[in-house]
């Protein structure tokens, strides 16, 4: 186990500077075993909690999260509302940096024996923690309190189970969308694209070049593996092969097809592919420098405020290749199996799921998507959807969600994938050779 944690920590260090999570929401920055608590332990915690209630002492729960800015403020307000709503549990929320940084810190804390009770974690990182038994199973808590796990939106919990256990619940979850300056498309006589071919045509038509200088790009895409996971799926491929020992997307040709599509757009001058050291995707879209952008639904709220009345801003599902598909994004949160206060931690999580000042308030304030079907049907969400179709379009796009690439050992694979993306999209290296180098590296990772 010790060797395993050290290996993961090395991978974490590689990714900590590069990964801030899949979600690109400007306000905040954009799979799989546990050891459940025994019945005796659960009973002991209940007795301890009753004793604390009798003596007037609150149980303290440490909650590590990854949200800053507006979303961090929402978490602070949410925790304050919970703490003032009852006299049994005091939650202490602590910002721990990006998703990758928080996961790395959690692994170190688990190893050192001083981990928090609750951890917010990017969905891409759930498996790497769960495989080592880091998370407690939430299903016994839910069954005891009558919380139905079938009420969670399917697309947001398919990657939340490990070995039959529910290890995290949705926290801030998102869909990948096409963000569109419809004013520009209307001026150019273009309809909202629905296929790869239409996206290429519209992007090229909306690109403006004057005296050799690009005044407007048809499409801006942030530097991230997330977009390429989606393109590979749209090309009809699977990122990993069936037994997870290699890259299925190289075997079926979908990776080359995805990169070739993007390079064609880039070579024509229609695509601005952002550098990871200076990602300007949000600014380019909101300023009108890009007619379209592929980004998270978590960016909708901020972009609506920034764009204002300067142009008509709409979103649409990702365009169709051979099929319609997209990876979901965002994070979940779970109780660590090392928690000394699992019952108290669950009390906060249950409140988050059910109370309007919990998850619902966070969703409305942040722009993330409803994570339960009950929440989606609530009056507050229905009103939000009436005020802006963009949120409803994002929610409906979840029918195309596919996160089958999220394996337990995904973290080091992502590091190599980002190196491959950089080589092809920014360093103009040969696609075939770059994919071969990537494949060789992944073979070592998956079969060591």
């Amino acid at each position: 186990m010790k060797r395993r944690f050290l290996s993961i920590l090395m991978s974490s260090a590689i990714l900590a500077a590069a990964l801030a999570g899949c979600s690109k929401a400007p306000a905040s920055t954009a799979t799989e075993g546990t050891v459940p608590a025994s019945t005796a332990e659960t009973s002991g915690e209940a007795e301890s909690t009753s004793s604390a209630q009798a003596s007037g002492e609150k149980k303290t729960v440490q909650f590590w999260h990854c949200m800053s800015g507006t979303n961090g403020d929402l978490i602070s307000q949410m925790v304050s509302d919970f703490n003032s709503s009852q006299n049994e549990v005091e939650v202490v929320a602590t910002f721990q940096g990006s998703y990758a940084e928080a996961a790395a810190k959690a692994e170190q804390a688990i190893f050192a024996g001083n981990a928090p009770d609750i951890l917010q974690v990017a969905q891409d990182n759930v498996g790497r923690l769960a495989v080592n038994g880091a998370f407690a199973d939430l299903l016994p808590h839910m069954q005891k309190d009558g919380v139905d796990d079938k009420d969670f939106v399917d697309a947001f919990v398919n990657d939340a189970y490990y070995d039959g256990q529910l290890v995290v619940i949705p926290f801030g979850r998102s869909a990948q969308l096409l963000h569109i300056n419809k004013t520009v498309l209307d001026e150019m006589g273009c309809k909202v694209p629905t296929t790869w071919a239409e996206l290429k045509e519209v992007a090229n038509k909306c690109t403006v070049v004057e005296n050799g200088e690009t005044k407007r790009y048809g499409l801006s895409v942030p530097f991230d593996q997330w977009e390429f996971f989606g393109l590979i799926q749209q090309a009809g491929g699977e990122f990993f092969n069936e037994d997870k020992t290699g890259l299925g997307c190289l075997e079926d040709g979908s990776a080359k097809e995805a990169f070739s599509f993007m390079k064609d757009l880039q070579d024509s001058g229609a695509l601005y592919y952002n550098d990871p050291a200076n990602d300007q995707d949000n600014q380019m879209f909101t300023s009108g420098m890009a007619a379209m952008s592929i980004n998270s639904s978590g960016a909708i709220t901020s972009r609506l405020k920034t764009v204002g009345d300067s142009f008509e801003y709409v979103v649409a599902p990702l365009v169709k290749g051979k099929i319609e598909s997209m990876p979901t994004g965002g994070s979940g949160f779970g109780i660590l199996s090392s928690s000394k206060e699992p019952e108290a931690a669950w009390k906060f999580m249950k409140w988050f799921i059910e109370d309007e000042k919990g998850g619902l308030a966070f969703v409305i304030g942040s722009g993330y998507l409803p994570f339960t079907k009950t929440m989606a049907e609530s009056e507050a969400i229905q009103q939000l959807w009436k005020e802006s179709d963009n949120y409803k379009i994002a929610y409906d796009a979840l029918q195309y969600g596919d996160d089958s690439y999220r394996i337990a050992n995904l973290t080091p694979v992502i590091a190599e994938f980002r190196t491959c993306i950089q080589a092809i999209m920014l360093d103009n290296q040969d696609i075939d050779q770059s994919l071969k180098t990537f494949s060789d590296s992944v073979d070592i990772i998956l079969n060591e």
Side-chain angles (χ1 to χ4, degrees), residues 246-278:
L247 295 171
C249 60
L250 265 65
E251 298 167 7
D252 61 26
S254 56
K256 182 173 182 179
E257 191 172 349
F259 277 104
S260 296
F261 174 72
M262 292 291 276
K263 285 300 292 183
D264 285 348
L265 277 168
Q266 189 181 52
D267 292 344
S268 72
L271 168 66
Y272 184 86
Y273 194 77
N274 284 266
D275 190 296
N278 186 30

Side-chain angles (χ1 to χ4, degrees), residues 76-95:
S76 296
Q77 183 61 55
M78 181 178 68
V79 168
S80 176
D81 287 338
F82 170 76
N83 288 338
S84 63
S85 72
Q86 43 74 52
N87 298 312
E88 301 168 9
V89 180
E90 183 80 15
V91 174
V92 178
T94 307
F95 173 67

Side-chain angles (χ1 to χ4, degrees), residues 36-48:
S38 68
T39 303
E41 290 172 336
T42 303
S43 176
E45 286 296 333
E47 292 174 4
S48 177

Side-chain angles (χ1 to χ4, degrees), residues 114 173 207 249 271 279 287 294 307 309 331 336 448:
N114 57 2
R173 295 303 305 268
T207 299
C249 60
L271 168 66
D279 194 326
S287 68
I294 296 176
V307 169
D309 297 328
S331 65
L336 295 185
E448 62 181 356

Side-chain angles (χ1 to χ4, degrees), residues 326-390:
M326 69 156 190
T328 67
S331 65
F333 71 149
I335 301 172
L336 295 185
S337 55
S338 58
S339 170
K340 296 180 177 59
E341 303 292 350
E343 291 295 329
W346 167 247
K347 186 177 182 69
F348 171 62
M349 295 184 72
K350 179 177 183 291
W351 178 89
F352 174 83
I353 295 169
E354 297 179 339
D355 197 282
E356 63 181 15
K357 291 185 178 181
L360 176 60
F362 182 76
V363 163
I364 291 176
S366 65
Y368 284 108
L369 299 178
F371 56 83
T372 69
K373 297 160 190 173
T374 298
M375 184 184 294
E377 295 168 356
S378 69
E379 183 178 343
I381 294 297
Q382 292 296 317
Q383 181 60 37
L384 179 68
W385 289 352
K386 286 181 181 178
E387 293 171 359
S388 175
D389 288 342
N390 288 349

Side-chain angles (χ1 to χ4, degrees), residues 35 37 42 70 75 80 104 109 152 199-200 237 245 269 275 306 308 342 349 356 362 386-387 410 412:
V35 181
T42 303
T70 300
I75 288 179
S80 176
F152 290 124
L199 178 62
K200 184 177 292 187
T245 58
D275 190 296
T306 303
M349 295 184 72
E356 63 181 15
F362 182 76
K386 286 181 181 178
E387 293 171 359
L410 184 62

Side-chain angles (χ1 to χ4, degrees), residues 173-193:
R173 295 303 305 268
S174 56
Q176 193 180 118
L177 301 168
L178 186 63
H179 299 245
I180 301 162
N181 182 331
K182 193 168 183 298
T183 300
V184 167
L185 265 65
D186 289 345
E187 290 173 353
M188 303 305 297
C190 298
K191 294 182 180 179
V192 172

